[in-house]
Amino acid sequence: MTAVVLGIETSCDETGIGIVRGRELLANEIASSVDEHARFGGVVPEVASRAHLEAMVPALERACASAGLRLSDVDAIAVTAGPGLVGSLIVGVAAAKALGVGLGVPVYGVNHLTGHVVVDELQHGPLADPTIGLLVSGGHSSLLLVSDDTSSVTALGQTLDDAAGEAFDKVARLLGLPFPGGPAIDAAARDGDPTAIAFPRGLAGERDRYPYDFSFSGLKTAVARWVTARQRSGETVPVADVAASVQEAIADVLTDRLVAACRDTGAGHAVLGGGVAANSRLRAMAAARCERAGIELRVPRPGLCTDNGAMVAAVGARLVAAGVPASGLDFPATSTLAVGTRVVGGER
Ligand code: KG4
Ligand code: ZN
């Protein structure tokens, strides 16, 4: 019988509980503390940890109810062991271990970043081997080679400075848009002209040296300069045009590198993941460029792109199916867990 896996996600400001049976998604409950952070313009770690504590049991109950299951039906537990905010991770890891002991089921400490890439299996079925994953979130931007069914991923490249989501959030702040900035820029950009301002494409001239890497700090500085110059001269800042132009620059760089990685590795399949993959322009541009290059692109629905428990359960389901040993009960929460670390604490 296919295992029922409960996934717990608490790496940032979303408490996510997902339940899957193999690749079948049974529940995906999310409690977000984003409103509590908004007035600070960013996630406040201590506030996030406390919110996870309060949300954990109700979210578990809601997930079981919406899956029509009891906790005793769960065969294995997967939890984000990193990367993320350590105080937040600890809440999820402790909950997973307690449930593991209480229910007598194995616990897998898994990599949040892998979850962002493999979550698409819950929507579109098994990933092709090999697939190039473009992972773009608030803390990470990487191009990953996903090459087998046991959730091992290899980093081909990553951002040299800010993550794509961070760039969206910082630019939104400059424009006086609310936090989190990505959705706000996406919305503002709808009324703007993406060709209004030619913002820099980071590392554009350095393809040879950085074929699959990104850089967004120059973009952020360019936007700051552009906006400040307008403000100094008393002109109104055309928020929609700036938002559309910034979004265009970010989507351009990301999709350019994605297509290059597919072409160079011969991978005919690509998948997007992470909160920024919810961006409408990135989705459209990736679809158009991949189609032109003969690459089959898969993009999970926006609710599976941002942090959630189902993505963690999806990694757990792969590990269980592949017979990978569980983590035991002494694995740590690791805020800096590297891309490619498959399961924390197992296989020693
Ligand atoms: O993956 P995620 O939910 O959390 C992390 O693991 O970081 O990503 C959050 C990031 C934030 O920076 C947020 O601004 C960005 O994803 N984001 C978006 C959109 N929705 C969320 N960025 C651009 N466009 C969007 N529609
Ligand atoms: Zn994430």
Side-chain angles (χ1 to χ4, degrees):
M1 259 246 319
T2 312
V4 172
V5 180
L6 177 91
I8 301 178
E9 157 59 33
T10 63
S11 68
C12 192
D13 57 345
E14 261 95 37
T15 313
I17 305 290
I19 304 178
V20 302
R21 184 185 283 114
R23 292 191 195 92
E24 185 191 355
L25 177 58
L26 302 179
N28 194 18
E29 292 296 321
I30 294 165
S32 178
S33 60
V34 67
D35 293 343
E36 293 173 54
H37 308 290
R39 71 192 169 100
F40 301 105
V43 175
V44 183
E46 180 65 16
V47 173
S49 312
R50 284 171 191 275
H52 287 307
L53 266 180
E54 284 165 22
M56 182 59 66
V57 172
L60 272 168
E61 286 169 350
R62 281 203 309 280
C64 286
S66 73
L69 293 174
R70 285 191 296 212
L71 278 176
S72 55
D73 297 319
V74 169
D75 299 306
I77 294 170
V79 60
T80 297
L85 303 169
V86 75
S88 290
L89 290 168
I90 284 171
V91 177
V93 168
K97 290 176 180 176
L99 284 167
V101 172
L103 301 171
V105 298
V107 179
Y108 291 84
V110 307
N111 194 317
H112 179 85
L113 306 176
T114 310
H116 273 308
V117 179
V118 304
V119 69
D120 189 64
E121 295 203 323
L122 303 178
Q123 190 179 346
H124 297 119
L127 286 170
D129 178 6
T131 286
I132 300 294
L134 173 62
L135 162 67
V136 275
S137 73
H140 295 85
S141 293
S142 311
L143 267 175
L144 307 169
L145 180 67
V146 187
S147 55
D148 63 24
D149 65 355
T150 56
S151 292
S152 91
V153 298
T154 316
L156 297 174
Q158 54 264 309
T159 182
L160 304 182
D161 37 60
D162 292 348
E166 216 175 335
F168 273 109
D169 293 339
K170 287 177 177 171
V171 168
R173 204 171 180 163
L174 288 170
L175 293 174
L177 295 170
F179 173 84
I185 291 201
D186 202 342
R190 263 176 233 143
D191 303 319
D193 174 5
T195 62
I197 310 145
F199 285 125
R201 272 55 171 166
L203 304 179
E206 295 181 78
R207 263 243 187 75
D208 294 346
R209 207 161 148 220
Y210 299 107
Y212 313 123
D213 294 317
F214 317 108
S215 167
F216 295 110
S217 65
L219 172 65
K220 179 191 63 194
T221 311
V223 177
R225 279 214 193 101
W226 197 92
V227 169
T228 312
R230 292 296 166 298
Q231 285 166 337
R232 287 227 177 96
S233 63
E235 291 171 61
T236 29
V237 176
V239 172
D241 284 348
V242 178
S245 301
V246 166
Q247 186 171 268
E248 194 70 9
I250 294 175
D252 184 14
V253 168
L254 292 173
T255 53
D256 175 80
R257 295 299 199 269
L258 173 65
V259 171
C262 289
R263 198 185 46 226
D264 297 351
T265 58
H269 299 265
V271 64
L272 304 189
V276 179
N279 183 266
S280 59
R281 184 62 185 132
L282 175 62
R283 296 166 81 93
M285 198 186 279
R289 288 189 173 175
C290 283
E291 194 187 350
R292 222 176 299 141
I295 300 159
E296 211 167 291
L297 175 73
R298 295 165 39 155
V299 191
R301 61 177 176 268
L304 293 178
C305 290
T306 44
D307 289 350
N308 64 82
M311 65 191 233
V312 182
V315 180
R318 280 179 148 230
L319 296 168
V320 170
V324 174
S327 301
L329 288 176
D330 60 351
F331 67 91
T334 307
S335 61
T336 55
L337 193 66
V339 169
T341 308
R342 183 164 67 165
V343 47
V344 178
E347 301 178 275
R348 277 171 301 183

